[in-house]
């Protein structure tokens, strides 16, 4: 009775290693593709278009840039990918950029249009409905140089949820905080308003400058927490040579430019050239933002790696609320970069 069990036991010991070797030969272990272990630095080149829409206190201005976009260097940082399933995962993206906006979207005045377009517009307005007039007005929004500019930087730290995996094309979306810095000015008013103010109160300089200070308070431009020097000069325009000092201060920030309003103020004989350009700049709203944005978002489509490079098409931006105004940034960029993995 013992011998059959002994034979069976020896057979298992002899044939099991052979079977294991055959299985290893049939199914060799597959090597895992190399992936980011901790984080990656992503240097590259990007074409980026930035628009800032400023609204609040019953006013609105949309700042943009000349041309379709700006070519610049990119240096993003991304965490390692955490793959939840084969086709879903998450990571953390830090995106930084800078911008310079020197154009505004404005409504084209009827006098700028050609006679034929004006005639056709008036004919359509007389025969059509109000809705058609609205569409015509909306189509007349154009980029224009109003002697305004805004420059700054932003950084977004966005947790990204993506569809795909590191070896395929990925579609991602994320929400997170941002840090925004902006400095410059924007024109909220009709150009004729500045000229009228510059020509008003010819006989009383101090009273006129006090009225300008009051306008600055009402516009939210005087905020000691953001810029105490600017706030002091704006609050005391009628005292001493503060208007001239304000002009030099604006010049140091690149905000002093001659225009029709400055020429009108200079023609009164009560203001020097520097003071006239300072007044002209005051008829635009000053922008001085250095704040954390509570909300920033990003959509992107990312290509799979090709010869060590990746491509990304993204849309998003932060939203900042400061001094009664809301600043909505809209960024669109196309990037080509090389991940350096750690």
């Amino acid at each position: 009775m013992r011998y059959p069990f002994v034979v069976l036991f020896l057979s298992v010991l002899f044939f099991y290693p052979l079977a294991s070797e055959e299985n290893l030969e049939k199914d060799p272990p597959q090597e895992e593709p190399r992936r980011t272990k901790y984080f990656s630095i992503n240097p590259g080149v990007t074409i980026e278009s930035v628009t800032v829409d400023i609204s609040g206190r019953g006013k609105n201005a949309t700042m943009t840039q000349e041309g379709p976009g700006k070519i610049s260097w990119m240096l993003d940082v991304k965490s390692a990918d955490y793959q939840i399933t084969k086709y879903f995962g998450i990571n953390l993206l830090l995106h930084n950029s800078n911008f310079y906006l020197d154009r505004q979207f404005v409504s084209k005045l009827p006098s700028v249009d050609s006679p034929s377009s004006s005639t056709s517009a008036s004919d359509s307005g007389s025969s059509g409905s109000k809705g058609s007039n609205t569409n015509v007005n909306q189509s007349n929004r154009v980029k224009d140089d109003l002697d305004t500019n805004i420059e700054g930087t932003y950084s977004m730290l966005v947790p990204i949820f993506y569809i795909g995996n590191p070896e395929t094309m990925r579609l991602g979306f994320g929400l997170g905080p941002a840090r925004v810095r902006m400095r410059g000015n924007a024109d909220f008013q009709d150009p004729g308003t500045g000229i009228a103010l510059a020509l008003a109160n010819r006989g009383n300089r101090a009273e006129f400058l006090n009225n300008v200070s009051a306008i600055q308070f009402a516009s939210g431009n005087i905020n000691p927490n953001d810029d105490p020097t600017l706030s002091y000069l704006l609050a005391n325009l009628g005292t001493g040579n503060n208007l001239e000092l304000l002009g030099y201060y604006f010049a140091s920030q690149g905000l002093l430019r001659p225009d029709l309003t400055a020429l009108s103020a200079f023609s009164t004989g009560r203001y020097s050239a520097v003071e006239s350009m300072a007044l002209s700049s005051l008829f635009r709203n000053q922008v001085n933002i250095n704040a954390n944005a509570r909300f920033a978002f990003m959509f992107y489509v990312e290509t799979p790696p090709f010869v060590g490079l990746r491509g990304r098409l993204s849309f998003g931006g932060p939203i900042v609320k400061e001094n009664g105004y809301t600043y909505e940034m809209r960024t669109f960029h196309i990037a080509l970069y090389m991940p350096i993995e750690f």
Side-chain angles (χ1 to χ4, degrees), residues 15-297:
F15 287 106
Y16 180 77
L18 296 178
S20 299
E21 291 179 3
E22 290 180 2
N23 291 334
L24 289 174
E25 292 177 358
K26 291 181 180 179
D27 300 320
Q30 296 182 354
E31 294 183 0
E32 287 288 331
R34 186 175 181 271
R35 296 180 180 177
T36 304
K37 187 175 182 180
Y38 301 108
F39 66 94
S40 66
I41 299 175
N42 306 304
V45 179
T46 179
I47 303 175
E48 185 172 33
S49 175
V50 180
T51 300
V52 178
D53 185 71
I54 309 171
S55 60
R57 301 177 185 269
K59 303 175 183 179
N60 181 270
T62 302
M63 302 292 300
T64 185
Q65 60 198 48
E66 184 180 8
K70 180 191 70 172
I71 301 176
S72 62
W73 297 107
M74 183 190 79
L75 185 62
D76 287 359
V77 179
K78 185 173 69 67
S79 72
D81 300 308
Y82 177 71
Q83 205 69 27
I84 302 173
T85 67
K86 185 177 180 181
Y87 295 109
F88 295 95
I90 57 175
N91 58 41
L92 187 64
L93 176 65
L94 174 62
H95 174 64
N96 307 276
S97 185
N98 58 75
F99 54 90
Y100 180 77
L101 313 177
D102 58 352
R103 295 292 186 272
Q104 281 192 229
F105 278 111
V106 296
S107 297
K108 188 187 296 184
L109 298 176
S111 59
V112 178
D113 296 334
S114 63
S116 59
S117 63
S118 300
T119 304
S120 61
S122 60
D123 291 342
S124 63
S126 58
S127 60
S129 63
K130 294 182 178 179
S132 62
N133 290 336
T134 303
N135 293 333
V136 170
N137 291 334
Q138 290 178 351
S139 64
N140 282 341
R141 285 193 50 156
V142 294
K143 288 183 183 181
D144 199 4
D145 186 0
L146 304 182
D147 290 324
T148 57
N149 67 80
I150 291 179
E151 63 177 342
T153 60
Y154 71 91
S155 301
M156 298 193 301
L157 183 63
V158 185
I160 298 291
F161 173 79
Y162 60 82
I163 301 173
N165 61 61
E167 283 72 50
T168 66
M169 181 170 288
R170 292 191 285 189
L171 174 65
F173 170 72
L175 301 172
R179 182 72 180 177
V180 180
R181 186 190 68 82
M182 283 188 273
R183 191 177 185 86
N185 53 25
D187 193 344
F188 289 114
Q189 301 180 15
D190 181 79
T193 304
I195 297 173
L197 286 172
L199 294 173
N201 295 316
R202 288 177 176 269
N204 194 328
R205 171 188 166 107
E207 182 181 349
F208 170 67
L209 293 179
N210 289 334
N211 290 336
V212 173
S213 293
I215 293 173
Q216 298 302 311
F217 271 110
S219 300
N221 289 335
I222 300 179
N223 189 342
N225 294 328
D226 292 336
D227 193 330
T229 302
L230 176 62
S231 298
Y232 173 79
L233 293 174
L234 288 178
N236 299 276
L237 279 180
T239 304
N241 64 336
N242 283 344
L243 180 60
E244 182 181 3
L245 293 176
L246 181 66
Y248 292 129
Y249 182 76
F250 281 156
S252 68
Q253 305 298 321
L255 302 176
L256 209 62
R257 296 180 182 179
D259 58 11
L260 187 57
T261 303
L263 181 61
S264 300
F266 184 73
S267 67
T268 63
R270 294 184 294 117
Y271 306 102
S272 66
V274 173
E275 291 176 334
S276 300
M277 288 188 287
L279 282 174
S280 175
S281 184
L282 285 178
F283 297 139
R284 309 180 186 100
N285 250 53
Q286 306 304 310
V287 176
N288 188 9
I289 302 298
N290 189 3
N292 292 319
R294 297 181 180 178
F295 176 82
F297 72 96

